[in-house]
Amino acid sequence: MKKLLKSIVIFITLVLVMGPIMGLTAAAQAAQANIVNSFDFPMPVASGINVRRGGNAELDYSNVADGYVMARFNQHSSSVRILITNPSGVRYQYNLNTQGRWETFPLTGGNGVYTIIIAERIDGNRYSPRVNMTVNVVLVDEFAPFLRPNQFVNFGPNSNVVAVAAELTQHSIGVLDSVAIIYNFVINNISYDFHLATTVQSGYVPDLDIVLARGMGICFDYASLMTAMLRSRGIPTKLVIGYVGDIFHAWISVHSDEHGWINDIIRFDGLEWRLMDPTFSSTGGDQARQFTGNGQNHRPTNLH
C-alpha cells in the first residue's frame, strides 16, 4: 500500500512539474489550473502609496503593517544591497537585483522602528547609500511576515510548488498532518546537490520551481521549499538559519491554533533534515523540550 501511495505522489508531481514541458491534456490542465487558482495566501504588492527614492533606488514601504517592504534598482550596477535593521538591532543584508524588478523583503522583528538602507557599490568594498530611512512598524497580524513570499522564500499563484503543495495536502487533517506530508515529500523527492554545494556563489537565492523540477538542492533549497509549500497552504512558517553551539543549523517553526508556535518542528543539524514527531500533546511538552533543548544554545542569524 505504501508503495502504491508513493507511486501516486510521484505521478502527481511529474504531471504538475513536467506538464508545461511535455504537454498536458485539456482535462489535466484544467485540474492544475483549479489547484493553482485556489491559493489563499496573501501576495506582496508595491502599492506606490509610500515610496522613498534615491538615485536609481526605490523603496516601497506602503505595506509595512503586513510585514514587508519592496525594493528595486532601475539601472545596471556591479552590486546593490539592502540592509534592514530590526527593532532589536539585528541587521539583515540582502543583494538587490539591478534589472528593475521589485523584490520583497520581510520585517520579521515584530513591532518597532526599523532602519532600511539601499546602498550601491562605488568601488571595492565601499558602498554609497541611495535610500536611508527609518519606519515605525505596527503589524496588523503577528503572522503577516510568515505567510507571504519574499526574496528567500519566493513563490506565487502560478508556481508549481504551490500546485504540488495543494495536491499533497488536499485531504490532510490539520497543520501537523500537512507538515508531515510536505516534509516527507521534500525528503523523498529532493536529493542533496553536492556539486552546487561546492560551487555555490555568495548571494545565491533558490528558484523553487527549478529545485522541484531538478529534484536536487542544497540545504537552503530544502528549507526554502518546505517553507514556501507550508505558507502556500496558509500555515504561518518561520525559516530560521543559525547555529546551535558551533554546529550550522536551520530550523522551521510553524503555528497552529491548537499548539501556538511549534518551534524547531523541522530542523537541519548540519548532516540531515529531521521532523519532530507531530503527535506530541503540547508545544511545551517533554518531547518538544528533548528535541529543541531550552533554546539557550540557539544562535539564529537569519529569520525569513
Side-chain angles (χ1 to χ4, degrees):
M1 185 64 178
K2 290 183 179 179
K3 290 183 178 179
L4 176 60
L5 289 174
K6 185 174 181 180
S7 298
I8 292 172
V9 169
I10 293 172
F11 173 75
I12 290 169
T13 305
L14 288 173
V15 169
L16 291 171
V17 175
M18 299 303 293
I21 300 172
M22 300 175 64
L24 296 173
T25 66
Q29 287 176 343
Q32 183 176 1
N34 288 337
I35 293 170
V36 174
N37 292 333
S38 68
F39 80 97
D40 56 4
F41 55 87
M43 283 294 294
V45 59
S47 303
I49 300 170
N50 295 311
V51 180
R52 183 68 61 89
R53 297 180 177 87
N56 294 298
E58 291 183 79
L59 178 71
D60 189 311
Y61 59 102
S62 306
N63 299 291
V64 294
D66 287 321
Y68 69 91
V69 296
M70 299 187 74
R72 67 180 177 182
F73 199 82
N74 295 310
Q75 183 175 325
H76 177 72
S77 176
S78 61
S79 180
V80 178
R81 293 177 178 173
I82 179 167
L83 299 95
I84 300 177
T85 304
N86 72 20
S88 299
V90 179
R91 172 178 283 190
Y92 296 90
Q93 179 175 288
Y94 307 88
N95 292 323
L96 181 62
N97 80 84
T98 58
Q99 288 81 46
R101 300 192 317 272
W102 287 108
E103 292 187 277
T104 305
F105 302 93
L107 304 173
T108 57
N111 296 334
V113 176
Y114 290 74
T115 299
I116 304 173
I117 299 171
I118 300 177
E120 181 181 13
R121 182 162 61 190
I122 51 178
D123 64 67
N125 291 320
R126 293 198 304 148
Y127 283 77
S128 176
R130 300 296 183 243
V131 170
N132 188 344
M133 67 173 296
T134 59
V135 59
N136 186 41
V137 174
V138 179
L139 296 172
V140 297
D141 181 346
E142 66 171 297
F143 308 120
F146 310 109
L147 285 169
R148 289 169 170 81
N150 59 51
Q151 189 196 62
F152 280 11
V153 186
N154 198 6
F155 60 98
N158 296 317
S159 299
N160 283 326
V161 295
V162 172
V164 171
E167 183 70 23
L168 289 170
T169 61
Q170 62 179 321
H171 301 302
S172 67
I173 304 171
V175 169
L176 299 185
D177 193 26
S178 293
V179 170
I181 290 169
I182 287 173
Y183 167 84
N184 285 316
F185 170 81
V186 172
I187 293 302
N188 290 326
N189 290 277
I190 307 297
S191 300
Y192 191 77
D193 190 334
F194 291 95
H195 175 71
L196 179 59
T198 59
T199 59
V200 67
Q201 299 296 308
S202 175
Y204 172 79
V205 175
D207 185 320
L208 297 180
D209 276 353
I210 290 179
V211 173
L212 188 63
R214 291 182 64 238
M216 299 183 71
I218 57 176
C219 301
F220 192 0
D221 299 312
Y222 278 77
S224 180
L225 183 59
M226 290 185 205
T227 303
M229 295 177 83
L230 290 167
R231 287 185 185 179
S232 76
R233 303 312 299 152
I235 300 173
T237 305
K238 296 177 181 178
L239 165 59
V240 192
I241 300 170
Y243 292 85
V244 175
D246 295 325
I247 300 173
F248 176 77
H249 187 76
W251 55 100
I252 295 172
S253 302
V254 301
H255 185 274
S256 73
D257 292 339
E258 181 182 1
H259 299 290
W261 279 108
I262 306 170
N263 295 317
D264 206 5
I265 193 167
I266 299 173
R267 66 164 182 153
F268 174 74
D269 63 5
L271 295 174
E272 60 183 341
W273 288 94
R274 294 183 180 178
L275 173 69
M276 185 195 301
D277 184 345
T279 60
F280 63 88
S281 58
S282 71
T283 27
D286 290 340
Q287 185 178 27
R289 284 195 291 271
Q290 290 172 10
F291 192 89
T292 63
N294 58 16
Q296 292 181 352
N297 292 323
H298 285 60
R299 291 186 291 113
T301 58
N302 289 278
L303 173 61
H304 302 287

